[in-house]
Every structure is written in C-alpha cells, then in structure tokens.
Amino acid sequence: MSAQSVDQGQGKGQDQGKGQDQGQDRDRVGLGRVRQLWHLLEPLHAVVYFAPESFEESGRLGIEPGRWPTYFAWRAAPLGRAGGEQVTSAFYSFSPETVERYIPSVWDAATPADILAARLRAVDRTYRALFGGRVDSPELAEAAALARRAAEAAVHVGRPLATANAALPWPAAPHLVLWQAATILREHRGDGHLAALMVAGLDPVESLVSFAAIGAAPEETFASRGWSGKEWSAARERLVGRGLLASDGTATEAGRALRAMVERHTDELAAGPWWALGASDTDRLADLLGDYWVAALGSGLLPGTNTLGIGKV
C-alpha cells in the first residue's frame, strides 16, 4: 500500500518560504514529510522491544525476563559498558532510579558485544515472524538501501545514541539493514529532540509533564519512566509558575506554543538525512515502507498509547 496518506497533512504550510536558498530538494522535503518518516520508521525500530522473540534472545543471555530489562540491554549496548549516569543522560526521560535497576547490572549477565549480537538475532526472528516471505522481497531490499543512504548521511556530532549505533558494522541481510538504518535515524532524531527540550528549558520530568498536558498521552502512560508522585507534582508546580500549565495541570496557550516549538525544532534537527536523500527518493521510501508499517502496527505487539506521542503530534 502507499504511505502517502500517513500524516500527509502534517506540516503543510508551516514551512512555506523556509529554506528557499537551500536547494530544490530541501524545499520539497518539508518538515511534515520529515515527521512522517519518523512515524513510519519508529514502529519498525520499536517492535523489537515488545516481540516475544526478543525476550527469548535476551533470556538466553541470562538477562532478567520482561520488557524493561530487554529494552535497557538492547538500547544501551551500543554505548558499551556504560554506567547509570551515562545511560540516564542519554535516555533523558527515565528517572535515575529506574535506570539503576538495570544499568550497570545488565553487563554482569552479558557483554555489550554479546547483547548486540543477540539484538540482531532478535530483529531477524521478529521481522521474519512479522513479514514472512516479504523479508526477501526486492521492495524491502530497495527500502533498506534508501534508508541506509539516509542514515549514512546523518551528522551525529553531539548525538550520543546516534553516534554509537552508526559506529556498528552494517549487517548483510536487507531486513537487518532496514532495522539498523531505522534505529540510527530514530536515535538521530531522538538526540535532537533532547537538545530541543533543553533549549526550551524542560528538564526530564518537566518534559513528560508538559507533554501529558497537551494530550500526547495520559499521565499514567508516563509512569514507566519511574518518576515519583512527588517529583511529578513538583515539576507541574514549576511549569505552573512559568505560566506553561494551568492549576488543573492542562497546558496554557503558552505551554502549547512551547511544545509546538519543541516539536518543530526536533523536525528541523532531524531533516538533514532526508535533505541528503532528496525528495524523490524520500517519497519512494515512504511508499515502500507502507506495508511493513502496517504489519508492525497490525501485529498487536506495540502499545496503542505511547510516550512518544506518535499519532498525537
């Protein structure tokens, strides 16, 4: 199926007149398309954090069963034998106490190199279960090649998770290339998002409180990040004091404007790989990803409500 309809209206008009001196491709790959590619690629990356094949692979390493031990192992392993403070900084939205439940103890179960090998096996098994014979299709191979070109064009200076994933060797199989490219691109975007949050003056817990306040997800969805009720309330009070939240916890006009600025800044910081790929090839990749995006969402593995606000922002 075509993915042209996915979020096709997002960003229309918001970047008219912007970047007219940056070349035709940059004009045509607008911020709405940049955000759409995130929406298309994120499920292809994130499904490995929820798939039973993934839990089986992490369990074979002796990692504690469950979603979060696997998540922290898979996502932190590119950083090497990182400590809790380093992972807390890179992940940003998780409380230090939550990170400390899994890092650095996960390295006692397996080395980062062993975890990365298991992660790739998990991706292989998960994609084969989701996509069946389409794993070996020419369409997936073409999508993988285009996504890899975009990922290799990304500039990673100041982006720790993107840099760490970009330094890994590329696998040979196209479906694994697609996952690795999706991972580099989503971490590139994510690292930029953290920069946008810091520019906006939103600390980790404030970033979640302000996001919930605009309706990105219910407050309980963010409980997995591990902040206490006291910490959440204190962050809300700080945002009320800045005029960003009303006393009932909903976003004020100023609060919504600040979050809109954060999302736009994030899109701008994520645009480089797509400008480099060019409008025609970016359009082609969006079309090619449609069936795989549908398969990932239709698997039932991904939660209907997420902390990223996909479908809401």
Side-chain angles (χ1 to χ4, degrees):
M1 67 173 282
S2 170
Q4 294 285 350
S5 60
V6 181
D7 302 323
Q8 66 179 9
Q10 248 182 25
K12 281 188 177 179
Q14 67 180 350
D15 35 37
Q16 289 182 357
K18 179 178 176 62
Q20 293 181 1
D21 60 344
Q22 296 175 321
Q24 184 178 8
D25 277 345
R26 291 192 179 194
D27 286 339
R28 291 185 60 208
V29 183
L31 297 188
R33 180 62 107 186
V34 171
R35 192 174 301 186
Q36 181 203 20
L37 265 295
W38 167 51
H39 286 193
L40 287 168
L41 286 168
E42 180 64 26
L44 299 181
H45 161 81
V47 71
V48 75
Y49 299 132
F50 300 91
E53 295 85 359
S54 198
F55 301 144
E56 290 169 7
E57 291 295 341
S58 62
R60 289 191 181 106
L61 295 177
I63 293 171
E64 180 186 352
R67 173 189 170 191
W68 291 115
T70 300
Y71 172 89
F72 276 93
W74 280 183
R75 193 164 177 231
L79 296 170
R81 194 178 284 271
E85 288 187 3
Q86 183 180 355
V87 173
T88 298
S89 175
F91 286 19
Y92 200 74
S93 66
F94 288 90
S95 72
E97 291 76 17
T98 297
V99 175
E100 287 169 5
R101 291 179 199 166
Y102 311 107
I103 304 293
S105 61
V106 69
W107 314 133
D108 296 331
T111 67
D114 287 341
I115 290 171
L116 288 171
R119 182 176 82 163
L120 209 55
R121 291 194 299 271
V123 174
D124 177 51
R125 293 179 58 200
T126 299
Y127 272 23
R128 290 185 184 279
L130 287 178
F131 306 145
R134 287 178 293 176
V135 160
D136 300 316
S137 70
E139 291 80 12
L140 188 145
E142 183 182 357
L146 290 170
R148 178 173 176 171
R149 279 176 50 202
E152 290 182 330
V155 176
H156 304 304
V157 175
R159 304 187 196 228
L161 285 168
T163 299
N165 280 280
L168 299 176
W170 285 96
H175 64 292
L176 301 181
V177 170
L178 178 61
W179 185 84
Q180 184 152 318
T183 299
I184 292 168
L185 290 164
R186 72 90 63 185
E187 297 293 16
H188 175 271
R189 180 186 178 90
D191 288 337
H193 182 62
L194 303 190
L197 289 170
M198 287 185 281
V199 168
L202 295 171
D203 69 25
V205 65
E206 290 169 354
S207 70
L208 301 181
V209 174
S210 63
F211 209 33
I214 65 168
E219 287 190 4
E220 54 266 26
T221 301
F222 298 101
S224 63
R225 271 44 187 169
W227 301 99
S228 68
K230 182 177 180 180
E231 289 168 323
W232 190 276
S233 296
R236 177 183 287 179
E237 290 175 8
R238 293 195 297 273
L239 295 176
V240 169
R242 290 173 60 184
L244 301 175
L245 265 61
S247 57
D248 64 358
T250 58
T252 62
E253 183 176 347
R256 289 187 175 278
L258 184 68
R259 286 301 319 200
M261 183 195 75
V262 167
E263 299 307 322
R264 182 183 177 87
H265 194 187
T266 300
D267 290 334
E268 291 170 343
L269 292 172
W274 307 115
W275 287 344
L277 187 61
S280 178
D281 284 341
T282 297
D283 290 347
R284 176 60 177 163
L285 177 59
D287 283 342
L288 288 166
L289 290 175
D291 284 343
Y292 304 102
W293 175 80
V294 168
L297 293 184
S299 70
L301 294 173
L302 297 167
T305 304
N306 57 77
T307 58
L308 299 179
I310 292 180
K312 302 289 186 179
V313 300

